[in-house]
Amino acid sequence: MESQRNILVIALLLVSFLIWQQWQTDNAPQPETAQQSTQTSTGDDSFIPESDQAGGEVPADAPVTASRQLVTITSDTLKLTIDTQGGDIVRAELLEHDDELNSDDKFVLLTNDANFVNVAQSGLIGRDGPDASADGRPLYHAEQKSYQLAEGENSLSVPLTFTNEAGVTFTKTFTLERDSHVVGVNYDINNQSDQPVQAQLYAQLKQSESKPGDDGGSMLMASAYRGPAYSTSETRYSKYSFSDVREAHLNQTTAGGWIGMLQHYFVSAWIAPENGENQFYTRFLNNQGQGIIGFKAPVTTVAPGTEQNLSAKLWLGPKLQDEMAEVAPNLDLTVDYGWLWFIAQPLFKLLQFLQSFAVNWGLAIILTTFVVRGIMYPLTKAQYTSMAKMRMLQPKLVALRERYGDDRQKMSQGMMELYKKEKVNPLGGCLPILIQMPIFISLYWVLMESVELRHAPFMLWIDDLSVRDPYFVLPILMGASMYIIQKMSPTTITDPMQQKVMQFMPIIFTFFFLWFPAGLTLYWLVSNVVTITQQWYIFRQLEKKGLHGKAAS
């Protein structure tokens, strides 16, 4: 197999991958706007689910209390804004992550803006649940408007209290820990009334389906998934897109599990209680264009004169696989490497391991390239040896064509006998290409999904490996390296059209790579440099044996 034709195979596979990728984006169901919708949502801006317990009716239009306040809670990693009406988290800033490279603003994961809503809600429903009251959601009381994790302290707990007319006190406590992206949400039900209290914990994430500036990616860059997902005892990880939420309500019962809202590099996820059966659900608020995914824990009864706690955990942060795996089973699967995850996972582990020594992620990519190409060297050697043998057989193949003419069956039989006699595998040159393309695509998703590479600098002008080279230096160098490989590889192609196509391949590839992440282009450039070195060495060894010279003659 000719080296130039191998390059053409790579191009066709790459273009096919990009076209298939864009087809998925273009054929995804389009968001339904509020003007197009004719269905009335099941609730207002403070939608809460119906209780599993009879008699716990949820009001359709809960009034909003005028005296509601916003409380801020700040740790070393998170800055949360809590609405005292219901105690929802309406804003979350990630203090360790800039919004843009070198920006003074921090990345905002949760927000309740007019153009985009993404909030984490929780409450108590059921017969005596304060969030199911006809008077609307509870108005909690906070001792102060701002809380800060103090130096030397490892955790910060902020209680919000509400007492109903029967004298039952509900305390909703948010707990943040140092160096953690987990928010503990605990309900303490203190029943000093003379009647038992029945309540049911729920937690949900609500997000607008349409996001300003979210165009779903381009022809050359895939967009990361944004939308709901969940994990149960039977399903380790499953996406449940906004279109799925519109079409059918999720209804899954499981012990433990989690529900989440995913986006590029970051995730918010409620981890349900491990004890008892939790019910997962979804809803779509058509008049607001918002999707909801949540869970309901089992109904709890608190006897008179007693106290009981209900709790859940909320992950608000980047997709850090090791940390998420410790918080909840399968939460690390939100780092979605696609169908080639079995290649991408080891590649990321290798990158992570090499980065621990190289410090720089760009150097880790270069070292990873050396490791991958080193492992593939036996296949590369077999590829070039096969190329040399195939060129050596060209005169005999021409003789077969002259002998059998248009008789394709006899021609095929003659070629197979010739390959068998000469011990030549006609597909030997294709195998390294077939292996390299999945590695290329897997590394593409590693660079797209791994938050560790977000805003990760390399050197000189490359200050973010997760985005394109701002000056297009790496793509141009990559195209030049492809040109060198092409010139180093002798060819027997005589068709003028094929020759012109092959001459333009470096230019076409350079154009493709202009928009690829700099880290991916760096990998391909270094891989080409290694290919040039290996090709020079292998052909030199073949020349010493006389094989390459005979083949080229």
Side-chain angles (χ1 to χ4, degrees), residues 334-403:
T334 55
V335 181
D336 192 351
Y337 291 141
W339 60 279
L340 288 172
W341 59 268
F342 55 92
I343 299 177
Q345 280 283 3
L347 274 178
F348 174 74
K349 293 297 183 183
L350 177 61
L351 265 173
Q352 198 174 38
F353 172 75
L354 294 175
Q355 190 272 337
S356 64
F357 293 98
V359 180
N360 186 294
W361 282 100
L363 294 177
I365 292 174
I366 293 175
L367 294 176
T368 299
T369 309
F370 290 154
V371 172
V372 171
R373 294 310 304 267
I375 294 174
M376 291 178 58
Y377 178 74
L379 294 176
T380 303
K381 184 177 180 180
Q383 174 189 13
Y384 289 121
T385 302
S386 177
M387 288 167 53
K389 288 183 178 179
M390 287 296 294
R391 282 195 294 273
M392 185 173 61
L393 293 180
Q394 286 301 314
K396 296 181 180 180
L397 291 174
V398 172
L400 285 177
R401 292 190 185 96
E402 294 175 351
R403 182 188 306 174

Side-chain angles (χ1 to χ4, degrees), residues 73-375:
I73 308 174
T74 307
S75 70
D76 60 326
T77 57
L78 296 170
K79 181 179 181 181
L80 308 181
T81 301
I82 312 296
D83 188 344
T84 56
Q85 183 83 48
D88 296 333
I89 304 177
V90 295
R91 185 177 176 85
E93 297 180 45
L94 306 184
L95 302 181
E96 295 178 324
H97 296 268
D98 295 338
D99 184 38
E100 300 290 344
L101 184 64
N102 300 324
S103 170
D104 293 332
D105 297 327
K106 299 304 178 182
F107 183 82
V108 177
L109 179 59
L110 299 183
T111 183
N112 196 25
D113 295 337
N115 296 327
F116 183 71
V117 173
N118 184 18
V119 296
Q121 301 176 312
S122 59
L124 296 175
I125 53 178
R127 189 189 68 190
D128 304 302
D131 291 272
S133 171
D135 296 329
R137 301 190 70 195
L139 179 64
Y140 286 95
H141 171 72
E143 292 294 332
Q144 55 195 66
K145 292 184 178 180
S146 178
Y147 297 84
Q148 175 83 40
L149 179 64
E151 289 291 337
E153 297 291 333
N154 292 322
S155 65
L156 171 65
S157 294
V158 177
L160 308 177
T161 59
F162 169 77
T163 303
N164 65 11
E165 296 178 353
V168 181
T169 301
F170 300 89
T171 303
K172 185 174 187 178
T173 303
F174 293 90
T175 301
L176 279 66
E177 297 183 354
R178 187 174 296 277
D179 299 325
S180 175
H181 294 90
V182 177
V183 180
V185 180
N186 179 79
Y187 278 95
D188 179 81
I189 306 174
N190 188 354
N191 182 14
Q192 296 304 316
S193 69
D194 56 1
Q195 298 293 328
V197 171
Q198 293 184 340
Q200 184 176 14
L201 172 66
Y202 82 93
Q204 63 187 23
L205 298 164
K206 179 171 66 173
Q207 186 175 127
S208 300
E209 181 178 20
S210 299
K211 185 176 182 180
D214 188 0
D215 59 1
S218 66
M219 179 65 183
L220 297 177
M221 286 293 292
S223 58
Y225 173 77
R226 182 178 70 83
Y230 67 92
S231 175
T232 68
S233 56
E234 296 182 354
T235 304
R236 297 179 62 210
Y237 168 69
S238 179
K239 299 175 184 176
Y240 203 80
S241 67
F242 286 112
S243 60
D244 294 329
V245 175
R246 284 200 312 269
E247 295 171 2
H249 293 166
L250 176 68
N251 185 13
Q252 295 275 346
T253 301
T254 179
W258 55 262
I259 55 95
M261 284 286 186
L262 279 55
Q263 64 187 72
H264 197 194
Y265 293 131
F266 302 97
V267 61
S268 51
W270 280 107
I271 293 88
E274 295 181 359
N275 55 326
E277 293 291 314
N278 305 297
Q279 181 186 356
F280 289 2
Y281 64 87
T282 59
R283 291 292 185 276
F284 194 83
L285 309 183
N286 290 277
N287 61 337
Q288 298 163 36
Q290 298 168 356
I292 291 175
I293 186 169
F295 75 85
K296 294 184 290 184
V299 177
T300 298
T301 300
V302 185
T306 64
E307 196 172 349
Q308 191 159 336
N309 291 297
L310 302 174
S311 63
K313 293 185 293 185
L314 175 65
W315 173 277
L316 295 174
K319 295 178 181 179
L320 301 173
Q321 299 181 56
D322 295 338
E323 293 184 21
M324 290 191 296
E326 295 178 359
V327 172
N330 305 317
L331 187 58
D332 57 316
L333 298 182
T334 55
V335 181
D336 192 351
Y337 291 141
W339 60 279
L340 288 172
W341 59 268
F342 55 92
I343 299 177
Q345 280 283 3
L347 274 178
F348 174 74
K349 293 297 183 183
L350 177 61
L351 265 173
Q352 198 174 38
F353 172 75
L354 294 175
Q355 190 272 337
S356 64
F357 293 98
V359 180
N360 186 294
W361 282 100
L363 294 177
I365 292 174
I366 293 175
L367 294 176
T368 299
T369 309
F370 290 154
V371 172
V372 171
R373 294 310 304 267
I375 294 174

Side-chain angles (χ1 to χ4, degrees), residues 396-397 399-421 424 426:
K396 296 181 180 180
L397 291 174
L400 285 177
R401 292 190 185 96
E402 294 175 351
R403 182 188 306 174
Y404 297 116
D406 295 332
D407 193 335
R408 295 187 177 181
Q409 183 175 358
K410 290 185 177 180
M411 179 65 186
S412 298
Q413 291 176 350
M415 289 173 62
M416 296 306 297
E417 290 176 359
L418 179 62
Y419 292 150
K420 185 177 181 179
K421 178 181 178 182
V424 174

Side-chain angles (χ1 to χ4, degrees), residues 43-57:
D44 72 339
D45 185 60
S46 299
F47 168 85
I48 53 178
E50 295 181 358
S51 173
D52 294 339
Q53 177 186 329
E57 294 295 331

Side-chain angles (χ1 to χ4, degrees), residues 66-77:
S67 57
R68 67 200 298 180
Q69 295 179 340
L70 297 179
V71 177
T72 60
I73 308 174
T74 307
S75 70
D76 60 326
T77 57

Side-chain angles (χ1 to χ4, degrees), residues 1-18 373 376 383-384 429-438 440-441 478 482 485 502 505 508-509 512-513 516 524 527-528 531:
M1 178 69 68
E2 299 293 344
S3 178
Q4 289 90 340
R5 288 176 180 172
N6 287 340
I7 296 175
L8 182 59
V9 170
I10 295 177
L12 292 175
L13 290 173
L14 179 61
V15 172
S16 300
F17 167 68
L18 295 171
R373 294 310 304 267
M376 291 178 58
Q383 174 189 13
Y384 289 121
C430 296
L431 186 58
I433 304 299
L434 296 177
I435 293 177
Q436 191 164 341
M437 281 309 298
F440 172 83
I441 296 172
M478 189 280 305
M482 287 192 66
I485 292 174
M502 297 313 304
M505 288 311 300
I508 294 173
F509 257 61
F512 281 154
F513 275 80
F516 278 149
W524 201 257
S527 181
N528 281 355
T531 296

